[in-house]
Amino acid sequence: MSIAAHPPARIGDRLEDVDTPALIVDLDAFEHNLDRMAALLAPTGARLRAHAKTHKCAVIARQQIARGAVGQCCQKVGEAEALAWGGVPDILVSNEVVGRAKLLRLASLNRLARVGVCVDDPAQVDAIEAAAAEIGVRIETLVEIDVGAARCGVPAGEGAVPLARRIAASKHLTFGGLQAYHGSAQHYRTHEERRAAIGKATDATAASVEALKRAGLACRIVGGAGTGTFEFEAASGVYNEIQAGSYVFMDADYGRNLDSAGQPISTFRQSLFVLATVMSAPAKDRAVLDAGHKAVAVDSGLPLVWGQHGLNADIAFVGASDEHGKLKLGPDAPRLGLGEKVKLVPGHCDPTVNLHDWYVGVRAGRVEQLWPITARGAMR
Amino acid sequence: MSIAAHPPARIGDRLEDVDTPALIVDLDAFEHNLDRMAALLAPTGARLRAHAKTHKCAVIARQQIARGAVGQCCQKVGEAEALAWGGVPDILVSNEVVGRAKLLRLASLNRLARVGVCVDDPAQVDAIEAAAAEIGVRIETLVEIDVGAARCGVPAGEGAVPLARRIAASKHLTFGGLQAYHGSAQHYRTHEERRAAIGKATDATAASVEALKRAGLACRIVGGAGTGTFEFEAASGVYNEIQAGSYVFMDADYGRNLDSAGQPISTFRQSLFVLATVMSAPAKDRAVLDAGHKAVAVDSGLPLVWGQHGLNADIAFVGASDEHGKLKLGPDAPRLGLGEKVKLVPGHCDPTVNLHDWYVGVRAGRVEQLWPITARGAMR
């Protein structure tokens, strides 16, 4: 709806003059993250197919591609439309798509860009074939295998072969390979837990690749991984596409992952914030922000408060109503005044982005970029 | 963004042909709820000023007003704009509004509709006066008192008097009364807990009204209450405006409130659902829906599954990813097939509505209405 779409700032505004709540991107930290991922993947030979469910923005997708990403993945046809319409040429819907209306949209989009899709059921293969035939296009189709997340996907190993054969035998489909993502492993807190889970996922994926090879079916794409585990998949020699998304922004939940020395991981910098304003300061130890859970998602925990150079441990975000965020000020925190701006680190970046229509890109305290979140709400 | 704004259905479609995820309103249940609230409030003399933060839709606001509601309240200037632009003549921003840009918008909107606002700090009174003077309008301004929620608001009783005097002495402001909402009490599970909390809130509010009266200040509005407690405030003889919002839709969280006999409250019917499609059915006891926490809010718990005539206890929604909803089927549940539609009862209606751009109004299995959620995302 266009009413919500007015940007909260103008180019050149000072950060403190941005209207709130607003979604702020620290452009230096953001570009550091893009560069860092490209540098980490380069020696492994694994390609980056960054996940657009995080950013929902073709402007960001194209910056990833400019640094070597092969393309994007996403979860919904509507997201793929926003990306293709925004100039992204190579997209994988890393998810099942069910229903004739959506499959016709997916097929038609293949006239503008390469847009692949995943299946875990023979009925889906036939439905995608029918849509591709009706529009007259060829659709690259991957088999999703369950590598430990117990969500979608056929069993790994031989389980992938019948579906892959059915795809390969379909006149308008190309067998594209395997989707092998272990979602829950991204958030296992210790390095060892993540390493062990992805070790198993990699074994299951390798067995599937081998079974397909014996059946004469080659995998152009063996895709998976996220920000929590991508270093394991990239080094595996089995995965060749990395689907990390959150690394561009990071969030409080990823901030709780630990490295092999038991320390918080510092590979990427926090670049995404929700800027909020103190709208009530009724007690010495309390301030109320104009940002509640309609401005910052709470599915993975409450946001944290950011200080000048990192997390501010003296102020706790203790409660989110729809449009109120309640802060508890510790004994060492200076009292917050009416109108003061506070930067929040979202608990979970992806659904927080989905609440906003604009990124406000800031560098050196000034608004430098305004990018539309064109796939916001594209859930179909 | 217009990309997301295509409605998921056409008028006349059968419910099972609606594209998913979609926000469904059972129009019979919805109209029952509107009528029921009007009937319950009529004998009390309390006016309904329904909360638009729930529905974010002027089309629904006007249906409430047609049944006797005096107007609407909302939390943000952006919501007030969507309502005023959609023909709502009487609006109260039941919240503090801080910052010159927002206050100028609030003032300017007073040329189109009566749009009041709340304060809990003298600096805000002066800022609102300045904006009203700059635009040349008069703004009705209420004092928010803290009646137990420990969020915004000055202390009740004498605490309201200095602010009310300051408002009354401001050239472009009218003192409008008291905002006295006890948010957390809405969700206390037992009748007795809610009764006790609102008893205290009513005493505090009455003391404030009396203190203001002694100071020569009359309250046109004494507002508060929500769907969980409105019967107490309406019967109090102290509150004269009821700000219930969720009653139009209801949700799983309100479904956990109990009446005085310890039974779930049945005053209102569940009218809001997220319609989802099974996109993967990889195991006998598992199905995966195309609706995750970007389609149904999880801040107040996971959604429930709706059956033919009420909750379906044989199917549990056990996990929400961004775009996946995992169902666990009990031993008595028939296996769900690919493409089957499932109706979910959101855990919390307000933030679920905020994820969608359209209501799909359904009666007798057919799409009868499509209403735009014009204040979706209007967080500023």
Side-chain angles (χ1 to χ4, degrees):
Chain A
M1 298 286 108
S2 59
I3 291 171
H6 300 293
R10 287 180 295 190
I11 303 295
D13 280 357
R14 298 176 312 163
L15 175 60
E16 52 269 38
D17 294 332
V18 172
D19 199 13
T20 63
L23 196 62
I24 303 291
V25 177
D26 175 329
L27 292 169
D28 288 337
F30 168 78
E31 291 167 5
H32 165 272
N33 293 347
L34 297 186
D35 292 338
R36 189 79 203 275
M37 179 60 91
L40 286 169
L41 290 186
T44 71
R47 306 183 289 266
L48 177 63
R49 180 179 293 280
H51 218 306
K53 81 180 174 74
T54 299
H55 58 64
K56 289 180 167 278
C57 175
V59 182
I60 292 178
R62 293 199 310 271
Q63 293 179 66
Q64 293 172 313
I65 292 166
R67 284 166 173 85
V70 69
Q72 298 278 301
C73 55
C74 62
Q75 301 294 63
K76 296 285 180 158
V77 176
E79 292 176 325
E81 286 171 339
L83 293 169
W85 296 342
V88 175
D90 190 338
I91 302 162
L92 170 66
V93 181
S94 55
N95 197 5
E96 285 65 34
V97 173
V98 172
R100 177 176 142 80
K102 286 192 182 77
L103 290 174
L104 287 174
R105 286 163 55 209
L106 176 84
S108 118
L109 206 58
N110 268 276
R111 296 266 187 217
L112 299 184
R114 171 151 73 179
V115 188
V117 67
C118 299
V119 297
D120 67 359
D121 190 293
Q124 285 175 242
V125 178
D126 299 349
I128 300 168
E129 164 65 18
E134 186 165 340
I135 302 292
V137 295
R138 207 167 176 79
I139 301 181
E140 185 168 44
T141 306
L142 281 69
V143 172
E144 179 163 9
I145 56 174
D146 181 355
V147 294
R151 198 170 64 179
C152 303
V154 298
E158 292 294 334
V161 176
L163 271 189
R165 279 197 212 275
R166 195 177 187 109
I167 294 166
S170 298
K171 198 170 157 202
H172 297 84
L173 306 185
T174 303
F175 173 62
L178 293 171
Q179 171 68 15
Y181 176 60
H182 194 323
S184 41
Q186 305 309 313
H187 308 282
Y188 293 167
R189 291 301 171 223
T190 71
H191 183 267
E192 183 48 32
E193 288 171 298
R194 295 192 301 278
R195 198 198 57 74
I198 301 306
K200 282 187 197 171
T202 299
D203 291 347
T205 304
S208 309
V209 172
E210 281 307 308
L212 290 164
K213 199 180 200 177
R214 286 193 298 274
L217 294 160
C219 295
R220 185 179 84 85
I221 297 174
V222 180
T227 295
T229 67
F230 74 95
E231 291 178 276
F232 303 120
E233 285 95 337
S236 69
V238 173
Y239 286 84
N240 62 19
E241 288 200 357
I242 298 302
Q243 299 174 345
S246 304
Y247 79 96
V248 297
F249 297 141
M250 301 305 286
D251 57 32
D253 190 63
Y254 268 123
R256 289 185 276 270
N257 276 9
L258 303 175
D259 66 17
S260 57
Q263 295 301 309
I265 294 174
S266 58
T267 312
F268 301 107
R269 291 169 56 189
Q270 184 65 40
S271 73
L272 188 82
F273 303 92
V274 170
L275 189 70
T277 300
V278 174
M279 63 169 185
S280 176
K284 226 179 67 150
D285 65 344
R286 192 201 315 156
V288 182
L289 300 177
D290 62 354
H293 57 65
K294 285 179 181 168
V296 56
V298 299
D299 60 283
S300 300
L302 293 173
L304 303 175
V305 176
W306 194 254
Q308 288 291 87
H309 305 289
L311 292 175
N312 183 334
D314 292 329
I315 308 179
F317 189 110
V318 294
S321 329
D322 283 42
E323 304 282 11
H324 297 76
K326 206 196 276 193
L327 299 182
K328 188 166 168 41
L329 312 184
D332 296 334
R335 188 162 182 172
L336 284 171
L338 220 56
E340 276 195 66
K341 296 289 204 293
V342 174
K343 280 167 87 172
L344 300 174
V345 176
H348 189 181
C349 53
D350 298 19
T352 296
V353 167
N354 191 49
L355 297 170
H356 293 261
D357 285 305
W358 290 92
Y359 291 109
V360 179
V362 173
R363 201 184 320 259
R366 293 271 173 183
V367 175
E368 184 197 292
Q369 300 290 331
L370 289 169
W371 300 330
I373 304 172
T374 48
R376 187 216 60 75
M379 67 180 83
R380 287 183 288 271
Chain B
M1 297 286 107
S2 61
I3 291 170
H6 301 294
R10 287 181 295 191
I11 304 294
D13 280 357
R14 298 177 311 164
L15 176 60
E16 53 267 38
D17 294 332
V18 172
D19 199 12
T20 63
L23 195 61
I24 303 292
V25 176
D26 176 328
L27 292 169
D28 288 337
F30 168 78
E31 291 167 5
H32 165 272
N33 294 347
L34 297 186
D35 292 338
R36 190 78 202 275
M37 180 60 90
L40 287 170
L41 290 187
T44 71
R47 307 183 289 266
L48 177 64
R49 181 180 291 282
H51 218 307
K53 81 179 173 75
T54 299
H55 58 64
K56 288 179 166 279
C57 174
V59 182
I60 291 178
R62 293 200 309 271
Q63 293 179 67
Q64 293 172 314
I65 292 167
R67 284 168 175 83
V70 69
Q72 297 277 300
C73 55
C74 62
Q75 302 293 64
K76 297 284 180 158
V77 177
E79 292 175 326
E81 287 172 338
L83 293 169
W85 297 342
V88 176
D90 190 338
I91 302 162
L92 169 66
V93 181
S94 54
N95 197 4
E96 284 66 35
V97 173
V98 172
R100 176 177 143 81
K102 286 192 181 79
L103 290 174
L104 287 174
R105 286 162 56 209
L106 177 83
S108 119
L109 207 58
N110 269 277
R111 296 265 187 218
L112 300 183
R114 172 152 73 179
V115 188
V117 67
C118 299
V119 297
D120 68 358
D121 190 293
Q124 285 174 245
V125 178
D126 299 348
I128 299 168
E129 164 66 18
E134 185 164 342
I135 302 292
V137 295
R138 208 169 174 77
I139 301 180
E140 186 169 44
T141 305
L142 281 68
V143 173
E144 179 163 10
I145 56 175
D146 181 354
V147 293
R151 199 170 64 179
C152 304
V154 297
E158 294 293 334
V161 176
L163 271 189
R165 279 196 212 273
R166 195 178 187 107
I167 294 166
S170 298
K171 196 169 158 204
H172 297 85
L173 306 185
T174 303
F175 172 63
L178 292 171
Q179 171 68 15
Y181 175 60
H182 194 323
S184 40
Q186 305 309 312
H187 308 280
Y188 294 167
R189 292 302 172 222
T190 71
H191 182 268
E192 183 48 32
E193 289 171 298
R194 295 192 301 278
R195 197 198 57 73
I198 300 307
K200 283 187 196 170
T202 299
D203 291 347
T205 304
S208 309
V209 172
E210 282 307 307
L212 290 164
K213 200 179 198 176
R214 287 193 297 273
L217 294 160
C219 294
R220 186 180 82 86
I221 298 175
V222 180
T227 295
T229 67
F230 74 95
E231 291 178 276
F232 304 119
E233 286 94 338
S236 69
V238 173
Y239 286 84
N240 62 17
E241 288 201 356
I242 298 301
Q243 299 174 346
S246 303
Y247 78 97
V248 298
F249 297 141
M250 301 304 286
D251 56 32
D253 191 62
Y254 268 123
R256 289 185 276 269
N257 275 10
L258 304 175
D259 65 17
S260 57
Q263 296 300 308
I265 295 174
S266 58
T267 312
F268 302 107
R269 291 169 56 189
Q270 184 65 40
S271 74
L272 188 81
F273 303 92
V274 170
L275 189 70
T277 301
V278 175
M279 64 170 186
S280 176
K284 227 178 64 151
D285 65 345
R286 192 199 320 154
V288 182
L289 299 177
D290 61 354
H293 56 65
K294 285 180 182 168
V296 57
V298 298
D299 60 283
S300 300
L302 293 174
L304 303 174
V305 176
W306 193 253
Q308 288 290 89
H309 305 289
L311 292 174
N312 183 334
D314 292 330
I315 308 180
F317 189 109
V318 293
S321 329
D322 282 42
E323 304 282 11
H324 297 77
K326 205 196 274 192
L327 300 182
K328 187 164 168 47
L329 312 185
D332 296 334
R335 188 162 182 172
L336 283 171
L338 219 58
E340 276 194 66
K341 296 290 203 294
V342 174
K343 278 167 88 171
L344 301 175
V345 176
H348 189 181
C349 53
D350 298 19
T352 297
V353 166
N354 191 49
L355 297 170
H356 293 261
D357 286 305
W358 290 92
Y359 291 110
V360 179
V362 173
R363 200 183 321 259
R366 293 271 174 182
V367 175
E368 184 197 291
Q369 300 291 332
L370 289 169
W371 299 330
I373 304 171
T374 49
R376 187 216 61 75
M379 69 180 82
R380 286 183 290 271

